[in-house]
């Protein structure tokens, strides 16, 4: 591990100043950053601890809920406001990682976590465009059973690992960012970027900017929402496929739907084609299946991950069937 200095900041303004130095990185729970520092994928020269910055509130605000970036995953998962009005958010957290990690890990850090592609995390292995731009992608012809089928490029096929980010994308979350040039808001669906030719550029966060909060609008889609995750084992495992769904129903008629996929996309995948296929239809398994087919038309499989296409379709049908719960 490369030597680094460490400061603890207590205010957003001083944290941003410290985080703007060349080679600086924020640390919150440290469950991702420290891992990556140990395997030398991340090598900050300044580590800025933001845990004392007062960003740990969950507040009901006009039109929704505002969640401080330093709220812990475990606290948010069981917060009464979230459980009642934003069940997909709560459920996505409860199926993430382990209780110990959720106790440490923050909401901001969760949205910023980096891919679990094994080639990315192991320096002695083969090329990786995300870790070492221009070196190539070992996964495309290599071990790719867990890799993405939506939003891939010739440069990278790594999945985005966060469960929470998928629920946030489905429910129209908005991030507030604070940097040296002031504050700005970014829709969660625009925050994470497709890999294209630059897979090392993963989000719309400039150096020195920090996530200060996350806003989720309330409304029918948020209230009737859920998160379904399919994985190799029942706990402490990343998604093979996942669906965050929200429905605005009038009896069995779907007024409109919100859908996002996890485990299959290079970014949290807002499923606009599926949403379009659901709107104005009756909530039936055939309609759900047609919506899944519509979204997965653009899926591109590699040697070991074609199974994800059918699995993702079934995941969506099951998530929607459970959520609609016998209204058809
Ligand atoms: C064994 C294991 C299993 C896991 N399983 C899952 C899983 O199933 N689902 C899932 O979603 N996640 C899973 N995770 C990932 C875990 O949820 C993340 O490591 C955690 O959420 C990161 O949060 P943190 O606060 O610890 O971030 P840190 O490690 O402190 O930071 C991570 C990154 O975010 C940046 N950062 C942190 N806070 C901010 C901020 N406010 N503004 C800007 N940048 C910031 C840091 O600079 C760093 O680059 C797993 C992790 C492990 C180790
Ligand atoms: S899929 Fe992406 S992260 Fe994995 S080896 Fe290829 S470039 Fe690297």
């Amino acid at each position: 591990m490369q030597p680094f200095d460490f400061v603890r900041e207590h205010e957003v303004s001083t944290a941003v100043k410290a985080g703007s130095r060349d080679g600086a990185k924020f640390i919150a729970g440290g469950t991702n950053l420290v891992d990556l520092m140990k395997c030398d994928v991340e090598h900050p020269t300044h580590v800025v601890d933001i845990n004392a910055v007062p960003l740990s509130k969950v507040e009901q605000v006009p039109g929704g809920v505002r969640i401080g970036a330093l709220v812990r995953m475990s606290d948010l998962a069981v917060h009464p406001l979230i459980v009642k009005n934003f069940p997909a958010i709560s459920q996505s957290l409860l199926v993430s990682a382990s209780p110990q990690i959720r106790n440490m890990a923050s909401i901001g850090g969760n949205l910023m976590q980096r891919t679990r592609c094994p080639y990315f995390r192991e320096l002695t292995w083969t090329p990786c465009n995300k870790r070492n731009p221009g070196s190539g992608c070992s996964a495309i012809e290599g071990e790719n059973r867990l890799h993405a089928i939506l939003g891939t490029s010739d440069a990278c096929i790594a999945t985005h690992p966060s469960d929470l980010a998928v629920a946030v994308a489905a429910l129209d979350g908005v991030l507030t960012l604070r940097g040296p040039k002031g504050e700005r808001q970014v829709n969660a669906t625009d925050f994470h970027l497709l890999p294209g030719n630059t897979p090392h550029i993963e989000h719309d966060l400039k150096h020195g900017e920090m996530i200060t909060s996350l806003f989720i609008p309330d409304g029918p889609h948020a209230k009737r929402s859920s998160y379904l995750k399919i994985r190799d084992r029942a706990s402490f495992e990343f998604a093979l496929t996942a669906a965050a769904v929200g429905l605005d129903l009038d009896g069995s008629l779907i007024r409109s739907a919100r859908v996002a996929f996890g485990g299959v996309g290079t970014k949290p995948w807002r499923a606009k084609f599926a949403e379009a296929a659901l709107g104005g239809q009756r909530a039936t398994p055939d309609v759900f299946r047609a919506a899944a087919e519509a979204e997965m038309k653009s899926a591109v499989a590699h040697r070991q991950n074609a199974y994800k296409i059918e699995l993702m379709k079934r995941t969506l049908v099951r998530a929607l069937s459970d959520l609609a719960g016998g209204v058809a």
Side-chain angles (χ1 to χ4, degrees):
M1 195 191 283
Q2 173 177 302
F4 58 90
D5 63 34
F6 180 89
V7 286
R8 175 166 298 139
E9 296 297 346
H10 293 77
E11 299 295 335
V12 173
S13 57
T14 54
V16 164
K17 196 166 172 207
S20 300
R21 291 173 294 165
D22 280 351
K25 275 255 160 194
F26 298 118
I27 190 166
T31 61
N32 191 233
L33 183 64
V34 174
D35 244 12
L36 294 174
M37 286 170 71
K38 283 198 234 166
C39 58
D40 212 20
V41 172
E42 297 269 16
H43 19 75
T45 45
H46 310 291
V47 173
V48 181
D49 179 354
I50 56 175
N51 286 294
V53 177
L55 294 173
S56 297
K57 278 194 192 153
V58 179
E59 295 169 289
Q60 192 155 23
V61 292
V65 63
R66 183 167 55 223
I67 301 158
L70 288 162
V71 174
R72 302 295 141 173
M73 289 170 74
S74 49
D75 293 334
L76 191 64
V78 297
H79 193 288
L81 189 60
I82 301 297
V83 173
K84 184 163 173 248
N85 294 338
F86 307 90
I89 300 286
S90 167
Q91 291 165 19
S92 72
L93 290 163
L94 289 172
V95 294
S96 296
S98 67
Q100 292 86 347
I101 289 172
R102 297 198 295 269
N103 284 341
M104 282 299 291
S106 67
I107 297 312
N110 184 282
L111 300 177
M112 289 290 293
Q113 66 176 293
R114 306 198 69 189
T115 184
R116 310 304 286 199
C117 172
Y119 300 106
F120 171 70
R121 300 173 68 86
E122 181 49 80
L123 291 180
T124 56
W125 289 3
T126 38
C128 169
N129 285 322
K130 197 183 270 297
R131 171 167 43 73
N132 183 12
S135 62
C137 172
S138 300
I140 287 177
E141 297 294 332
E143 292 296 315
N144 50 39
R145 178 178 170 269
L146 302 176
H147 284 69
I149 50 174
L150 291 169
T152 56
S153 72
D154 291 343
C156 182
I157 59 169
T159 51
H160 192 276
S162 166
D163 291 295
L164 171 67
V166 176
V168 169
L171 298 187
D172 300 309
V174 179
L175 295 167
T176 296
L177 313 177
R178 175 88 169 269
K181 292 189 179 157
E183 191 171 273
R184 65 188 178 108
Q185 267 83 34
V186 181
N187 290 335
T189 46
D190 299 328
F191 181 70
H192 294 102
L193 304 176
L194 291 170
N197 290 325
T198 54
H200 57 292
I201 303 173
E202 294 168 350
H203 15 69
D204 178 14
L205 191 82
K206 313 280 180 280
H207 184 65
E209 274 186 323
M210 64 185 279
I211 302 170
T212 53
S213 66
L214 166 65
F215 171 78
I216 313 274
D218 52 26
H221 302 104
K223 191 126 188 163
R224 188 191 284 266
S225 69
S226 69
Y227 187 77
L228 176 64
K229 176 178 181 179
I230 307 299
R231 45 194 164 164
D232 278 334
R233 57 181 180 197
S235 122
F236 209 12
E237 188 57 279
F238 290 89
L240 297 173
T241 58
V245 289
L247 288 175
D248 180 6
L249 294 176
D250 177 4
S252 68
L253 181 73
I254 303 170
R255 284 200 196 98
S256 59
R258 298 284 184 275
V259 181
F261 292 166
V264 290
T266 50
K267 60 179 270 184
W269 194 261
R270 180 72 178 262
K272 289 283 186 184
F273 293 107
E275 290 178 2
L278 291 165
Q281 303 295 315
R282 296 278 160 200
T284 65
D286 287 349
V287 166
F288 301 156
R289 178 77 195 185
E293 301 278 357
E295 193 65 41
M296 297 311 284
K297 266 189 193 142
S298 60
V300 176
H302 286 79
R303 190 169 55 89
Q304 298 172 332
N305 65 1
Y307 74 97
K308 281 195 178 187
I309 297 178
E310 180 59 23
L311 187 61
M312 187 63 246
K313 291 177 187 173
R314 293 184 189 198
T315 306
L316 180 60
V317 172
R318 195 177 121 197
L320 288 168
S321 302
D322 290 350
L323 189 65
V327 293

